């Protein structure tokens, strides 16, 4: 489960943002490695997420939830944009840039994280038959450990809508018998 950090992203303070980056890096990289299987792509997307967070630090509102929920919303958007294939040039530049910055030790560490998250990716693939809105809430709550309210914030929907979507997703998975999603503990058992 990603650590919840109380520090908000500082606006116009590069030194303060560096502290925020250090606090949130593991949570964001974990979010990414649960969704991709390439260490280079994971490194690129994680960097892109923090660039977007720095550029959008002024949009963070502590009243709407924890910084990690805000970052997961940004992460979701960055990853979705990547998979929609922004442009061929951007995709090629991102891959090349990431490969130049990674040494063998970095690649081994990210590959280790990807291997550790492989079971979680298999579980996510098992519920691929769910509609996107249901799957997004389920992922944020069950895989990423957000509360329903934080998931609602990350998705830009009401808490009531998030609860309904989560209930429907769990019901659909129970009905099809694809996986147990009754509790976070069941998911953690399955990923070990």
């Amino acid at each position: 489960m990603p650590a919840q950090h109380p520090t908000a992203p500082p606006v116009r303070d590069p030194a303060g943002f560096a502290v925020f980056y250090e606090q949130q890096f593991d949570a964001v990289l974990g979010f990414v490695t649960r969704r991709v299987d390439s260490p280079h792509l994971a490194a690129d997307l994680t960097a892109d997420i923090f660039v977007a967070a720095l550029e959008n630090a002024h949009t963070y509102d502590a009243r709407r939830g924890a910084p990690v929920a805000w970052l997961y919303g940004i992460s979701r958007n960055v990853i979705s944009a990547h998979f929609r294939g922004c442009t061929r040039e951007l995709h090629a530049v991102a891959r090349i840039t990431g490969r130049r910055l990674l040494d063998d030790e970095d690649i081994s560490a990210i590959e280790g994280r990807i291997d550790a998250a492989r079971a979680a990716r298999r579980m996510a693939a098992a519920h691929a038959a769910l509609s996107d809105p249901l799957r997004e809430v389920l992922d944020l709550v069950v895989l990423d450990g957000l509360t329903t309210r934080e998931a609602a914030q990350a998705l830009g929907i009401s808490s009531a809508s998030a609860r309904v979507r989560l209930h429907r997703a769990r019901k659909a998975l129970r009905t099809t018998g694809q996986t147990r999603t009754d509790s976070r503990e069941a998911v953690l058992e399955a990923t070990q």
Side-chain angles (χ1 to χ4, degrees):
M1 183 170 160
Q4 301 284 333
H5 298 289
T7 302
V11 179
R12 295 184 194 98
D13 179 12
F17 197 86
V19 171
F20 177 76
Y21 169 86
E22 290 292 327
Q23 290 176 335
Q24 302 293 348
F25 178 80
D26 285 336
V28 172
L29 184 59
F31 183 97
V32 173
T33 59
R34 286 188 289 273
R35 288 160 174 82
V36 302
D37 59 4
S38 164
H40 296 288
L41 181 57
D44 289 346
L45 290 173
T46 301
D48 290 345
I49 289 163
F50 279 105
V51 168
L54 180 59
E55 290 171 349
N56 294 293
H58 67 282
T59 66
Y60 174 73
D61 182 356
R63 296 171 297 184
R64 295 190 63 206
V68 72
W70 176 76
L71 276 172
Y72 282 175
I74 291 171
S75 300
R76 189 177 134 286
N77 291 336
V78 169
I79 291 170
S80 292
H82 169 76
F83 284 116
R84 281 190 308 267
C86 299
T87 65
R88 288 183 191 198
E89 180 182 17
L90 179 61
H91 180 70
V93 169
R95 283 197 335 235
I96 292 168
T97 302
R99 290 174 198 236
R100 264 190 270 138
L101 297 175
L102 297 176
D103 62 20
D104 291 338
E105 187 177 313
D106 294 331
I107 291 171
S108 292
I110 293 174
E111 284 174 339
R113 289 188 78 147
I114 288 170
D115 288 341
R118 184 163 280 127
R121 286 194 310 279
R122 278 189 222 122
M123 185 180 300
H127 66 60
L130 295 173
S131 66
D132 287 342
L134 298 183
R135 191 171 44 254
E136 289 169 346
V137 171
L138 185 69
D139 285 351
L140 289 171
V141 172
V142 176
L143 293 178
D144 299 314
L146 293 184
T147 65
T148 306
R149 181 174 179 249
E150 291 168 335
Q153 175 198 359
L155 295 170
I157 61 175
S158 71
S159 292
S161 293
R163 284 191 303 273
V164 168
R165 289 179 186 181
L166 182 61
H167 172 74
R168 288 179 180 166
R170 287 178 169 168
K171 182 178 177 182
L173 291 178
R174 277 193 299 269
T175 301
T176 60
Q178 290 178 341
T179 185
R180 281 182 26 194
T181 59
D182 295 333
S183 68
R184 174 132 174 89
E185 290 75 28
V187 171
L188 291 174
E189 287 173 16
T191 61
Q192 293 179 351

